[in-house]
Amino acid sequence: MEAEPVDNEALRELIDHQERIREDERKRIAREIHDELGQYLLALRIEVSLLKDASNDVMRQRQTRVDRILEHVDSTVKSVRTIINNLRPAVLDLGLVPSLEWQARDFERRNGIRCEFFTTDENLSLDDEPSTVLFRILQETLTNVVRHAKATHVKISLSTGKDRLVMRVADNGIGMPKVRNRKIKSFGLAGIRERIAMLNGEFSIESNDAGTILTFILPYGQPDDLFSGHPERA
């Protein structure tokens, strides 16, 4: 089969888009560190300086200062945990299934959109890289649902069988008119396709005015697949 020619312009636009996403993420993290963590640390320094002041030797005043310092310490720890979680959610350490379940619950809580998660394999085991990719893909997909789908219900399913892992995300929104799987104009979806392709997987879309279904397929349980050290392929 003859290879499809590379669209250099589209490739450059995708690379530029991904770089903008990375830069926006750096700015967001820097802003969180400056606006939250920086302020908490400054407040801590002020409170400690006041605690050293001889005029605050009265026990009640010192106790009030100590209580404020402890509050700032708690806020600082919470801010650090939030920043770390944004970089790599700690829930991923629990495994793929718990992390996707958590993401579904968190999505429903934050957006008021009913979100259900189903799996045929509660004990599914996956390496860190594909687990992280699927977690981020689901994150991007759910973000798109909020921004564009006008959906009230989302179903996420994860299943294994026939040497493959399948994740499906279905919503009951307004659909994606004129979507063609091989010519996706949305850079968000193009980025998802690129991530799946890097893991030798497949990505497809079914969409109409009754909703959209995104299907992600990865090799699973094969002796020479991405779960065995990424061997060279002929």
Side-chain angles (χ1 to χ4, degrees):
M1 181 181 295
E2 185 177 349
E4 183 177 337
V6 176
D7 188 334
N8 290 327
E9 182 178 356
L11 182 59
R12 284 194 301 271
E13 290 177 347
L14 175 58
I15 293 173
D16 289 343
H17 174 72
Q18 291 175 330
E19 182 57 36
R20 286 195 298 273
I21 290 176
R22 283 191 289 268
E23 185 59 31
D24 288 344
E25 187 68 5
R26 295 186 193 106
K27 291 178 180 177
R28 184 188 62 78
I29 294 171
R31 188 164 53 248
E32 285 185 358
I33 292 174
H34 177 273
D35 293 347
E36 295 187 22
L37 188 55
Q39 287 185 6
Y40 293 143
L41 291 174
L42 177 60
L44 274 173
R45 188 183 189 285
I46 293 172
E47 294 292 349
V48 171
S49 297
L50 292 171
L51 192 62
K52 290 175 61 179
D53 194 320
S55 65
N56 288 302
D57 275 342
V58 178
M59 182 57 68
R60 183 178 297 176
Q61 291 178 332
R62 292 180 66 85
Q63 184 61 47
T64 299
R65 293 293 179 193
V66 170
D67 289 342
R68 288 179 181 174
I69 289 173
L70 291 175
E71 289 176 3
H72 288 310
V73 169
D74 290 342
S75 297
T76 302
V77 170
K78 183 178 179 181
S79 179
V80 170
R81 286 176 176 170
T82 298
I83 293 171
I84 292 173
N85 190 63
N86 287 336
L87 291 173
R88 186 186 187 279
V91 70
L92 277 169
D93 295 332
L94 301 177
L96 179 62
V97 172
S99 68
L100 298 186
E101 287 177 329
W102 172 85
Q103 192 166 176
R105 291 195 303 269
D106 187 61
F107 171 83
E108 182 172 303
R109 176 183 61 81
R110 287 186 293 106
N111 299 287
I113 299 174
R114 186 183 176 195
C115 188
E116 298 179 276
F117 175 82
F118 308 91
T119 182
T120 60
D121 188 354
E122 290 286 348
N123 300 314
L124 187 151
S125 179
L126 211 57
D127 285 350
D128 186 68
E129 181 181 359
S131 292
T132 302
V133 167
L134 286 175
F135 183 89
R136 294 302 188 190
I137 283 175
L138 179 58
Q139 192 174 49
E140 177 79 18
T141 300
L142 293 177
T143 297
N144 286 337
V145 169
V146 173
R147 289 178 178 174
H148 310 296
K150 298 182 180 179
T152 60
H153 190 191
V154 179
K155 291 183 178 180
I156 305 163
S157 65
L158 186 70
S159 61
T160 57
K162 296 183 179 180
D163 297 326
R164 67 180 193 169
L165 179 152
V166 180
M167 182 174 75
R168 286 191 175 89
V169 183
D171 68 65
N172 66 344
I174 60 175
M176 301 167 59
K178 300 181 180 179
V179 167
R180 291 178 295 168
N181 287 336
R182 301 180 65 85
K183 297 292 183 180
I184 296 178
K185 296 301 182 181
S186 166
F187 289 123
L189 293 178
I192 288 175
R193 181 183 290 281
E194 183 68 17
R195 284 183 171 186
I196 286 291
M198 289 176 64
L199 296 178
N200 301 319
E202 302 172 15
F203 169 40
S204 64
I205 301 173
E206 301 173 47
S207 188
N208 54 47
D209 56 9
T212 299
I213 302 175
L214 274 64
T215 303
F216 312 95
I217 302 174
L218 294 181
Y220 180 74
Q222 301 175 28
D224 61 343
D225 66 15
L226 57 90
F227 304 92
S228 303
H230 304 277
E232 293 293 334
R233 293 181 178 269

